[in-house]
Amino acid sequence: MVDGYGRTGEPMSNAPFVGRDEELRRLDRVLTQLGQGGPVVVDVTGEAGIGKSRLVAEFATRARARGLTVLRGWATEYEQHSPFRPFADAFADLAASAENRLPALAELPPLLRGAGETPAGPGAVDRFGLYRATAAVLGRLGGAGIVLALEDLHWADPASLELVDHLVRHSAPAPFLLVVSRRNRQTSVALGATLTRGADTGSVLRVELGPLPEDDCVRSLAGDLPAPLAAELYEASDGNPLYFLTLLKAHRETRTGPVPSLAAGTVLGERDGPALGLRSLLLDELTLLNPLERRIVEAAAVLGDHATPAMIGSLTASGPEDVIEGLRGLMRRDLVRPGRAGRQLTLRHPLVRALVHEDIEPWRRDDLHRRAAAALAAAGASTVEQAHHVEHYVSGRDQEALDLLVAAAWQSAGTAPATSAHWLDVVLLLLPDDLEHLAARRELTLLRARALGMSGRLKESRNLLHQVMDMPDSGRYDEIRSAVVTLRVRTERKLGHHGEAEALLRRELRRWPRPTPSQTVRLGLELCSCAIAAARFPEVRDDMAGVLAMARSLGDEIGEVAALTLIALGEAYEGDMASARDFAGSAAELVDAMTDTALAELSEYLCVLGWTEVFLERYNAAEGHLDRGLEIVRRTGQVYLMSHFLTVKALIHLDTCRITTALELAEQAESIGRSLGCEDLLAFTLALQAHILLQARPPGRPDALSVAEEAVAACDGDTWWANLAAGALAHAALDSGDSYRAADIVLRVGGDSDLCRLQTTVRPSYLELLTNAALANGRPEEAAHWAGRAREEAERLNLPAQRAVALCGLAQVAAHQGDSAEAARLFTEASRLSARSGAALREARCLLLASPHKSAVGDPEGAAVMWYRGHRIASEGGNRLLVGLAERIRPTVFGCPPEPAKPAGEPTAQPSRASQEAAKVGELTPRENEVLRLVSSGLPNAKIAQKLCVSVRTVKYHISNILLKLDLDNRTQIVLYVLSETAAIVTS
C-alpha cells in the first residue's frame, strides 16, 4: 500500500493499493462488530508518508460498501489555531441529500459545521455542553451507521483535541465509529494517554503502520525496473511508501545518475522538515513550472482549505481563464488535485504544502496571507477564520489587524480558550511596551491569563498574573488589580497552594493604596474560602464576621449572601449544625428572592450553599440551588465551577439512591476536572466516583479501588480534598476485603484514635467504617468502642441520617454478638431516621440488613415487608451492591423456597406462580421494562440503544439488572421468560 493519498483520497501517480492485508482484516472485523460491543475508536498511527491516509481511505470505501455514512476531516499544519477545523471539514463533506437521510444533523452545533459566527465572549458558549451535544447528535443519526474519520490529528487545534477526547471517553450511543490518524511522536500527551487507556480497555483498536515489505514495493510499484535498482530505491526509502514513490518518480523522469540519498534515519515530517534529499526532489518539481503555475501553487499552499479558483485568482491577481489554464497544467503534473465534491483544491500531499509554504520568500508570504485575509473578509468569513492569516503578517503598527486578533480571541474564549490565549499572545508580543499602551496591556494580559486557566494551563496563568501585579498602575486600587488578585488566588487554590493564596490576600488587605470597602469584602470572601479549603475555618471566623458586617453596612447584598454561605459551610464543617442551619437559611432566603442576573456573581457561593445543605441533609433544597447555579454557570461560561456543581449534585443522587444518574454526573465532572488541570478538584470528583462505583458495580467500568487510588494520588497534604480522597480509598479497601488497610487509612488521616482531623459532619461515617473493619479483623471490643464513639458524635450533630449511621454500627455489633432482637431494633430505627432525612441509600441498606434479624425473632411478615421495600429502592436506583445483598439474604428472610411478603391482616394463602412472577416484574423500573420488551422482540443492544437514545453500555447495564431481578442467566432466557409469561396470561 502507498500513502500517496492526500486530501482527495486519490493515489499518487495512480499507484495501486498494495500490502496492509493484516491491517485491513482487523478493520473489517471492526465493521462487522460495529454496534455489537466491539471497539468504538480506531487509532491509526505511523510516521509521515507511511500510508495512514491511504489505509483510512480504503477503510472508508469498505464502510460505504456496507451502507455506512462516512465523513472525513483533516487537521492541517498551518491551521492549528483554527478551532474545530477537522470537524467542520468532516461535516462540510456531507452531501445535501445526507441531511434528508440524517435529520438529526440539523441539531449539530453550527460551530462544528463551520457555519456562521460564534457568540462572543468566554460565557457565550459552554464548550463541555457543546461536546455533549455533539456526542448526542452523533448518537441519534440513525441509519446503517456512521464513520467519522479525522486525519492528521497531530496537527489538530486544542479545542478539537478536547472534543476527540470526549468522544473517546463517551462513545456515541449508536452504530458509530470514530477513526483517527496521527503521528505518534507529535501527538499531544493528553490525547495519547486517552487513546492508550482505551486500547487497554478494548474500546480503541490501535493500528500501527510500519514500513511496507520490500516485495510489495518492488513487485507492485517498480516491476519495470531492474531488480538491483529497485532494491536500491527500496533501501534508500526505508520502506516508506511516499519516499519510494518520490524516488521512483524522480528516476523515471531523469533516467540518469545514482539513487539520491534521503539521509536515512531522518524522520520525515517530525516538524524538522523532510530529509534533505527528499526535500530537494520535491522542490525540483517546482523549477519546471511557469511563473503563473508557481504563483498558483504558492497561493494554494497559503489558502489551505480555502483554496478555490476564485480565491487563488484574488491572491495571484489573475483572471479566471488564466487560473483555470494554470490549474490544468498543475493537475497534469499531479501537484494540485481537485478537492472533494469539487469545492476546493489541494496540493498533492501535506508535505508538499509545507515545502512550498516554507520556500516562499518571507515578504511575499506575508503579502499572500494579507491578501487571503482580505479575500475571506470580503466573502463574509468569520474573524476566527481570518485570524489564521492575520497572525502571519500582523505588526505592531497595524492596529486594525491587532483589533481583529483581539476580537477573534474574545470570540473563541468560551469554546477554544487555548486558541484565544494564542492570539492574545501574538497581540501582546507586538503591542508597544510604553505608558500609552499600559492599560491595554494589563487588560489583555488578564484576559490571556483567564483563557490559559480555562484551558487547564494553570501555572502559565499564574505567571501572567504575577506580571500584571508587577506592572505600574494608576495609583489607586482599580478594578483590574482587584480582578487579577481574585483570579490569582483562585488559581493558587486550584494548584493546591492554599498557603500562598492566603498570604497574598492578607498582603493585599494591608496594601496601600487600600482596597475600597467593596473590594475588601471580595478579598475577605476569598480569604475565608482558602481557610475552609485548608480545614482552618476557626482561624478566620472573626474575619468573616467583620466581612459580613461590612457587606451589610454597604448594602452589598451579593457580599452578604456570599459571607453567609461561607460561614454556614465553615460552621457545618466544624460541627455547629445549629449555627450552620441559621446562616444557610438566611442565605437561602436572600438567594431565592434574587434574579439569575444578580446571581451570576454568586455562582461559586450557590455551590457552597448547596454543599452546606447536603451536610444539613436538606437534599431537595440543595438540588434546587445546584440546578439553578449550573444553569447560570453554563450560560456565563464559568467552566471552572461546573465540576464542583456536578460533583455535589452527584453526591445528592448517591445519598438518595439514584446511582445511575450519580455516576453520569460524576463522569461529567471528571471530564471537566481533568481539562482544567486542578488536582484538588480532580481528587474530589474521583473520590466521589469511587463511592458511587462501590454501589453501582457496573460491568466494564474501572474498579472503585483503582479510582480511589488515583484520587489519593491526585492531591496531597492535609486538605479537605485529600481527606475526602483518603476516605474513599478506605471504603474501597474495606469493600475489597482489606479491612486492616481501611482502618489504617482512617486512623492516619484522622490523627490516630481521637480522629480530630476528620470533618465533624461526616465523622460518624468514618467511625462506622472502623466498626466494620474491627469486626472483620476479629476485634469485637474495639468495634463496640468505635460504635459508641459514633453514637456520641451523631448525637452532637443531631442529624437524622448521621444518627442512622451510628445506629448501624451499634446494630452490626449486636448482630455479631448474636442479639438479633437488638440488631433488628437498631436497624429498623436507623431506616426510619434515614427515610426522615431523605437518605434513601442508607434507608435501603438498613431495611435489608434488618430483615433477616426480623425474621429470626419471629416476625416474618415484617421481615418480608422490609426486604421488599429495601430491594425496590435499590433496584429502582440502580444499586447493584444492595440488590446483590438482597439476593444473598433472600433465603434467610423467606426460608427456602422464598415466600412473598404479606401485609398484616391479609390471608397467608400460597400465591400462584403467575403472581410471584408478576411481583418480580413489578420490581423492574420503567426503563428496565422498556429494555425487557425490546430484548424479547429480538433487537440487538445497538438497536435498543438507538431507540432509547442511550449508550450501548447503558443498555448492557439495564440488561444485567433485569437478569439479576428476574433470576435469569442470559438474553435467551429473557426471551423465553417473556414468552412463558405471555402464555401463562393467555391460559389464565
Side-chain angles (χ1 to χ4, degrees):
M1 186 190 72
V2 296
D3 185 314
Y5 251 25
R7 296 295 308 276
T8 65
E10 295 298 330
M12 179 187 290
S13 305
N14 299 314
F17 184 92
V18 298
R20 309 302 189 197
D21 294 337
E22 175 56 31
E23 288 85 353
L24 282 174
R25 278 194 291 271
R26 295 173 68 193
L27 294 175
D28 282 338
R29 285 197 295 270
V30 171
L31 290 176
T32 302
Q33 297 170 1
L34 187 58
Q36 300 177 11
V40 293
V41 179
V42 173
D43 176 26
V44 181
T45 69
E47 66 178 47
I50 203 67
K52 301 183 295 297
S53 292
R54 187 68 175 90
L55 178 64
V56 172
E58 181 65 20
F59 180 55
T61 300
R62 295 180 179 221
R64 289 191 185 98
R66 295 184 182 226
L68 279 72
T69 298
V70 179
L71 309 176
R72 295 179 73 190
W74 280 260
T76 52
E77 182 175 11
Y78 295 107
E79 288 79 22
Q80 293 183 56
H81 298 292
S82 297
F84 302 110
R85 173 57 60 90
F87 286 92
D89 193 29
F91 292 122
D93 197 25
L94 282 165
S97 58
E99 296 204 15
N100 297 327
R101 289 185 290 105
L102 307 170
L105 281 172
E107 302 173 38
L108 199 69
L111 183 61
L112 296 185
R113 305 202 320 259
E117 290 273 359
T118 306
V125 180
D126 161 23
R127 73 185 196 266
F128 298 103
L130 183 145
Y131 301 161
R132 291 192 298 275
T134 302
V137 170
L138 292 173
R140 292 198 304 273
L141 289 182
I146 306 293
V147 175
L148 176 60
L150 303 176
E151 302 197 43
D152 293 333
L153 276 194
H154 49 278
W155 283 327
D157 60 281
S160 293
L161 291 177
E162 273 194 357
L163 179 50
V164 169
D165 180 273
H166 182 88
L167 292 175
V168 173
R169 291 176 179 272
H170 309 280
S171 55
F176 170 76
L177 184 68
L178 176 65
V179 180
V180 301
S181 71
R182 61 192 177 89
R183 300 177 196 167
N184 198 42
R185 279 181 283 187
Q186 289 175 265
T187 301
S188 72
V189 174
L191 178 62
T194 298
L195 291 169
T196 298
R197 278 194 296 269
D200 291 341
T201 62
S203 63
V204 174
L205 171 66
R206 177 163 293 167
V207 179
E208 298 187 42
L209 300 184
L212 274 179
E214 181 175 358
D215 189 53
D216 286 334
C217 275
V218 171
R219 185 186 70 249
S220 302
L221 304 175
D224 58 323
L225 297 184
L229 177 60
E232 189 178 355
L233 288 173
Y234 179 82
E235 183 178 358
S237 73
D238 284 336
N240 184 294
L242 178 62
Y243 291 25
F244 186 81
L245 283 173
T246 302
L247 289 168
L248 185 63
K249 185 171 187 281
H251 173 78
R252 284 173 172 162
E253 288 178 350
T254 62
R255 299 282 181 180
T256 60
V259 173
S261 169
L262 293 189
T266 303
V267 179
L268 181 63
E270 294 295 336
R271 204 57 205 107
D272 296 328
L276 181 60
L278 182 61
R279 177 187 179 90
S280 300
L281 287 173
L282 292 172
L283 288 177
D284 277 348
E285 295 185 61
L286 304 182
T287 62
L288 304 176
L289 306 181
N290 64 45
L292 176 59
E293 289 173 335
R294 178 67 182 247
R295 292 200 306 273
I296 290 174
V297 168
E298 291 173 345
V302 167
L303 285 166
D305 286 346
H306 293 105
T308 63
M311 282 287 186
I312 289 173
S314 296
L315 267 65
T316 60
S318 303
E321 292 183 2
D322 290 338
V323 170
I324 295 300
E325 183 61 29
L327 286 171
R328 287 196 182 106
L330 292 169
M331 288 181 182
R332 283 194 295 269
R333 295 180 181 277
D334 195 28
L335 272 171
V336 173
R337 296 171 177 175
R340 292 161 293 139
R343 286 192 302 272
Q344 64 203 25
L345 298 159
T346 181
L347 296 177
R348 183 173 69 222
H349 192 279
L351 292 172
V352 175
R353 182 189 178 192
L355 288 170
V356 172
H357 190 275
E358 292 170 5
D359 198 52
I360 304 172
E361 295 91 339
W363 55 90
R364 291 193 58 248
R365 185 166 57 229
D366 290 351
D367 183 60
L368 286 172
H369 279 291
R370 182 179 286 103
R371 290 170 180 257
L376 286 171
S382 69
T383 55
V384 171
E385 289 178 289
Q386 297 172 53
H388 152 63
H389 294 286
V390 170
E391 72 169 291
H392 279 83
Y393 68 79
V394 65
S395 69
R397 295 181 299 275
D398 191 343
Q399 190 60 48
E400 183 179 350
L402 291 173
D403 290 343
L404 186 140
L405 287 179
V406 172
W410 184 250
Q411 182 101 9
S412 307
T415 53
T419 296
S420 176
H422 166 75
W423 282 326
L424 289 167
D425 186 39
V426 173
V427 173
L428 286 166
L429 287 172
L430 295 171
L431 197 66
D433 191 6
D434 54 29
L435 287 176
E436 180 184 350
H437 295 86
L438 177 61
R441 179 172 291 280
R442 292 178 74 212
E443 185 175 349
L444 292 175
T445 305
L446 171 60
L447 184 60
R448 181 166 188 259
R450 184 176 287 118
L452 287 170
M454 290 176 65
S455 63
R457 294 156 65 182
L458 296 177
K459 292 181 180 178
E460 293 176 69
S461 175
R462 179 191 58 187
N463 293 340
L464 277 186
L465 294 169
H466 273 288
Q467 292 180 24
V468 182
M469 293 181 70
D470 290 338
M471 290 178 187
D473 54 34
S474 59
R476 58 187 178 84
Y477 206 95
D478 58 13
E479 289 304 314
I480 292 289
R481 177 81 182 189
S482 179
V484 167
V485 170
T486 300
L487 182 57
R488 185 180 155 196
V489 166
R490 290 176 178 173
T491 304
E492 296 286 7
R493 282 164 46 196
K494 291 176 192 176
L495 289 167
H497 304 160
H498 303 286
E500 290 89 334
E502 186 174 341
L504 171 62
L505 286 166
R506 293 194 181 279
R507 189 188 73 184
E508 288 295 304
L509 289 168
R510 295 191 302 268
R511 190 176 183 271
W512 185 266
R514 291 191 179 280
T516 66
S518 178
Q519 291 166 346
T520 300
V521 169
R522 297 300 182 273
L523 295 176
L525 294 172
E526 293 294 332
L527 181 64
C528 184
S529 296
C530 289
I532 289 177
R536 293 188 291 102
F537 172 73
E539 296 178 19
V540 297
R541 185 180 274 122
D542 292 341
D543 295 305
M544 280 311 303
V547 170
L548 177 58
M550 183 177 290
R552 284 173 169 167
S553 69
L554 293 170
D556 181 357
E557 194 174 50
I558 290 175
E560 180 182 0
V561 171
L564 287 169
T565 59
L566 287 172
I567 295 171
L569 180 62
E571 297 295 0
Y573 188 97
E574 296 301 320
D576 188 349
M577 307 314 291
S579 294
R581 195 174 290 111
D582 290 342
F583 283 111
S586 298
E589 187 176 337
L590 291 171
V591 162
D592 294 342
M594 297 173 75
T595 65
D596 284 358
T597 301
L599 286 176
E601 289 188 56
L602 281 168
S603 300
E604 182 173 5
Y605 303 105
L606 267 178
C607 187
V608 172
L609 177 59
W611 186 235
T612 305
E613 288 171 328
V614 171
F615 287 151
L616 293 170
E617 299 175 8
R618 296 176 173 177
Y619 295 114
N620 290 335
E623 190 159 15
H625 289 134
L626 291 168
D627 284 340
R628 190 178 181 191
L630 259 176
E631 178 61 30
I632 291 170
V633 300
R634 282 184 172 132
R635 191 169 61 248
T636 56
Q638 299 177 73
V639 178
Y640 69 96
L641 291 176
M642 287 177 60
S643 189
H644 288 279
F645 276 96
L646 291 167
T647 305
V648 179
K649 189 173 178 182
L651 175 60
I652 295 174
H653 283 226
L654 171 63
D655 285 350
T656 55
C657 203
R658 290 174 279 172
I659 305 303
T660 304
T661 52
L663 194 54
E664 291 171 359
L665 289 165
E667 287 183 337
Q668 286 184 42
E670 180 198 351
S671 295
I672 298 172
R674 287 188 187 281
S675 73
L676 294 179
C678 177
E679 294 179 348
D680 284 350
L681 182 57
L682 180 60
F684 184 22
T685 58
L686 290 173
L688 180 61
Q689 196 174 134
H691 281 292
I692 298 169
L693 285 168
L694 285 174
Q695 306 297 323
R697 301 191 186 284
R701 298 291 181 96
D703 179 73
L705 185 62
S706 64
V707 174
E709 296 274 15
E710 186 180 356
V712 170
C715 66
D716 53 22
D718 185 20
T719 65
W720 188 37
W721 316 98
N723 288 347
L724 285 171
L729 181 58
H731 280 92
L734 182 63
D735 178 78
S736 67
D738 195 346
S739 52
Y740 286 100
R741 185 186 185 195
D744 287 344
I745 292 170
V746 173
L747 293 173
R748 175 176 51 80
V749 174
D752 295 327
S753 59
D754 60 358
L755 304 181
C756 61
R757 289 163 52 190
L758 292 177
Q759 181 181 343
T760 307
T761 318
V762 294
R763 201 173 290 165
S765 296
Y766 285 106
L767 288 163
E768 185 200 16
L769 183 149
L770 288 173
T771 301
N772 290 325
L775 290 173
N777 295 336
R779 300 173 179 173
E781 293 182 0
E782 184 180 320
H785 165 73
W786 293 127
R789 280 281 309 280
R791 185 166 200 167
E792 293 171 7
E793 296 284 350
E795 291 299 327
R796 278 198 291 271
L797 293 171
N798 196 26
L799 294 169
Q802 291 302 313
R803 290 174 60 200
V805 169
L807 292 177
C808 280
L810 292 169
Q812 295 281 24
V813 173
H816 183 80
Q817 295 170 344
D819 190 347
S820 286
E822 180 65 3
R825 184 187 71 79
L826 290 168
F827 278 130
T828 302
E829 177 64 10
S831 68
R832 186 187 66 80
L833 288 169
S834 300
R836 184 175 131 199
S837 72
L841 174 64
R842 175 68 57 175
E843 179 191 1
R845 182 170 179 268
C846 292
L847 287 168
L848 291 173
L849 291 174
S851 58
H853 297 290
K854 277 276 190 183
S855 181
V857 297
D859 186 3
E861 292 184 356
V865 168
M866 298 181 86
W867 187 92
Y868 273 106
R869 175 167 173 76
H871 187 272
R872 180 178 60 78
I873 294 172
S875 59
E876 288 180 356
N879 192 317
R880 296 171 63 85
L881 176 68
L882 292 184
V883 169
L885 170 65
E887 294 306 320
R888 287 197 302 275
I889 65 174
R890 181 197 284 261
T892 306
V893 175
F894 295 101
C896 192
E899 296 184 4
K902 291 295 176 183
E906 286 195 10
T908 57
Q910 179 70 26
S912 66
R913 174 184 175 275
S915 64
Q916 289 183 8
E917 298 303 331
K920 287 184 180 180
V921 175
E923 295 173 6
L924 301 180
T925 65
R927 176 48 62 91
E928 288 166 355
N929 272 305
E930 285 184 275
V931 174
L932 176 70
R933 176 177 57 81
L934 294 171
V935 170
S936 66
S937 68
L939 287 180
N941 290 353
K943 292 292 185 183
I944 296 173
Q946 186 176 332
K947 279 184 170 291
L948 299 180
C949 295
V950 298
S951 68
V952 174
R953 184 171 60 187
T954 300
V955 172
K956 291 179 179 177
Y957 175 60
H958 287 312
I959 291 175
S960 64
N961 276 344
I962 292 168
L963 295 172
L964 186 63
K965 293 177 182 181
L966 300 184
D967 199 21
L968 304 174
D969 294 326
N970 51 49
R971 289 172 64 97
T972 302
Q973 289 189 9
I974 290 179
V975 177
L976 295 174
Y977 177 90
V978 173
L979 290 174
S980 66
E981 288 310 300
T982 304
I985 292 171
V986 172
T987 303
S988 63

